[in-house]
Amino acid sequence: MTGDDTKHLPLEDLHTAAGARFGAFAGWSMPLTYPAGVMKEHLHTREHAGLFDISHMKLFAVSGPGAAALLNRASPLDAGALEISQSKYSFFLNEAAGIIDDLIVTRLGAERFMVVANAGNAVEDEKHLRALAADFDVKVDALDRVFLAIQGPEAWAALSRAGIETGSLLFMHGIEPKQNWFMSRSGYTGEDGFEIGLPEADARALVTKLLEDERVLWIGLAARDSLRLEAGLCLHGQDITPEIDPASAGLMWAIPKDLRAGGSFIGADALRSILERGPSQKRVGLKPDGRQPVRAGAALFDADGDPAGHVTSGGFGPSAGHPVAMGYATTPLANPGTKLFADVRGTKIPVDISSLPFTPHRYRKG
């Protein structure tokens, strides 16, 4: 990808003014860290409130009499069973049940849904949805919004001080608090938090208000990665890819039981046969011994030196206080407590398979 093709955030000037260090991610120029640094940014989010610019992600409004039917075809989801304002984690699967993307679908009305998709797949997701939509009475709109996330135990209080009440919004629900606004209570950190999609002018005003609050700090992509890794959450393109199915990824909890048996979503037959024979590998948490982080791409071996899997995400967990990683282990070995070895530049680092998450989730569910 040449520099000329790089996409820029609408609020890039605010990040530059805040001293952000930028780097490339999924075709976008993204703030990686701010002057506080990744460790402080990470811990501040866990203790107070972190503000993330996630405008690289894409919002799609799916509306019309065929909206639920389209989503049921595109995803292993019963869209019609969602209550108004309820959100559900789901996927677009290919015919082999590989994960094209993971997404969050929110029901906003009888025939209106919001789909939040990942940056790297936004173009492909839109093409995929539009191609499927041809068979349904439905409209797919890619929305032009700034998308912000505010995460952490004081996120609700900071929003309240900025004039946005969140009290009635529960975890995994989404609403339209104002015209052209979408707000959901979920997040990618394991903490209580919110995402707000809104027009740029509104976003600039909201950011100004939020940053006047000493509890709120800009957080970059580096801390976003360590936060989600501690929370045991997948990054598409690393931990889940079009080559990995939901059973291997340990994400079958997102697919209702009746749909596993009888759903007609894309990839349903392939997923049923994977479930019948059992996946050959499973996603696991990995806790390296000592202080040396084990990074994505490292091969895993068993005690006899035989191949046992590979690492898909890894780094240091500032809240956990030790290196954390995720990856795939062959199914017979994929149990907490199993000892494996990761090859880090020729050195075999002992790693224990660990249950996920490394840091307990603190979502506001009631």
Side-chain angles (χ1 to χ4, degrees):
M1 191 166 243
T2 67
D4 308 337
D5 296 335
T6 303
K7 299 192 197 71
H8 292 268
L9 299 172
L11 305 184
E12 184 173 76
D13 57 311
L14 299 185
H15 301 295
T16 303
R21 191 169 65 79
F22 291 86
F25 175 77
W28 289 77
S29 173
M30 293 292 293
L32 299 183
T33 55
Y34 296 87
V38 62
M39 193 79 146
K40 274 212 176 83
E41 291 172 38
H42 177 113
L43 295 171
H44 186 93
T45 305
R46 291 259 185 262
E47 288 158 22
H48 304 290
L51 181 61
F52 302 76
D53 189 339
I54 53 172
S55 304
H56 61 307
M57 296 179 73
K58 199 71 200 164
L59 295 161
F60 298 101
V62 179
S63 57
L70 166 62
L71 291 170
N72 291 352
R73 177 73 185 125
S75 317
L77 181 71
D78 185 352
L82 294 177
E83 290 169 18
I84 304 287
S85 95
Q86 189 183 354
S87 305
K88 185 98 174 67
Y89 176 75
S90 194
F91 327 95
F92 290 152
L93 301 179
N94 59 30
E95 290 292 359
I99 301 172
I100 297 172
D101 201 4
D102 63 332
L103 29 107
I104 290 183
V105 178
T106 304
R107 187 173 203 172
L108 293 173
E111 299 181 345
R112 284 188 66 233
F113 296 83
M114 187 71 78
V115 177
V116 178
N118 290 306
N121 305 328
V123 174
E124 200 175 315
D125 288 347
E126 187 173 351
K127 268 195 216 142
H128 182 67
L129 257 188
R130 289 195 190 285
L132 291 174
D135 298 334
F136 297 88
D137 182 4
V138 70
K139 198 158 149 279
V140 175
D141 296 304
L143 303 182
D144 184 20
R145 299 281 185 274
V146 168
F147 203 29
L148 302 170
I150 180 164
Q151 298 278 301
E154 293 179 336
W156 68 272
L159 282 174
S160 174
R161 186 188 281 186
I164 294 171
E165 284 311 320
T166 61
S168 59
L169 189 62
L170 293 178
F171 177 65
M172 288 306 278
H173 284 73
I175 53 171
E176 293 172 292
K178 303 178 189 185
Q179 195 179 356
N180 294 327
W181 283 46
F182 169 68
M183 180 161 89
S184 57
R185 191 169 201 159
S186 64
Y188 201 44
T189 58
E191 299 297 326
D192 182 31
F194 304 84
E195 294 78 31
I196 306 173
L198 69 178
E200 184 181 330
D202 293 354
R204 288 178 178 273
L206 177 59
V207 163
T208 302
K209 272 190 199 160
L210 286 171
L211 291 173
E212 284 166 2
D213 191 325
E214 71 286 348
R215 294 171 293 192
V216 180
L217 200 63
W218 274 124
I219 310 295
L221 214 56
R224 185 170 161 84
D225 197 53
S226 55
L227 288 158
R228 68 95 195 164
L229 182 51
E230 285 186 342
L233 302 172
C234 295
L235 176 60
H236 195 278
Q238 283 186 212
D239 311 297
I240 44 178
T241 69
E243 289 70 54
I244 291 171
D245 62 88
S248 306
L251 297 172
M252 288 305 295
W253 56 266
I255 304 182
K257 285 204 171 57
D258 55 338
L259 288 188
R260 298 176 199 183
S264 57
F265 55 89
I266 294 170
D269 293 340
L271 186 58
R272 281 192 268 276
S273 61
I274 291 164
L275 289 169
E276 273 164 33
R277 67 173 185 268
S280 59
Q281 54 169 7
K282 286 193 178 157
R283 181 171 64 97
V284 293
L286 299 164
K287 182 179 182 289
D289 274 12
R291 307 294 287 175
Q292 163 92 39
V294 169
R295 306 277 177 196
L300 296 172
F301 297 91
D302 67 13
D304 300 327
D306 295 322
H310 63 287
V311 177
T312 52
S313 282
F316 189 76
S319 306
H322 56 74
V324 291
M326 271 197 299
Y328 285 81
T330 50
T331 301
L333 297 172
N335 304 305
T338 302
K339 293 201 176 305
L340 298 176
F341 295 87
D343 186 340
V344 178
R345 293 185 297 278
T347 304
K348 295 282 199 295
I349 304 260
V351 295
D352 285 347
I353 292 185
S354 162
S355 50
L356 293 167
F358 294 102
T359 301
H361 292 166
R362 295 197 294 181
Y363 302 128
R364 188 74 58 85
K365 294 199 175 172

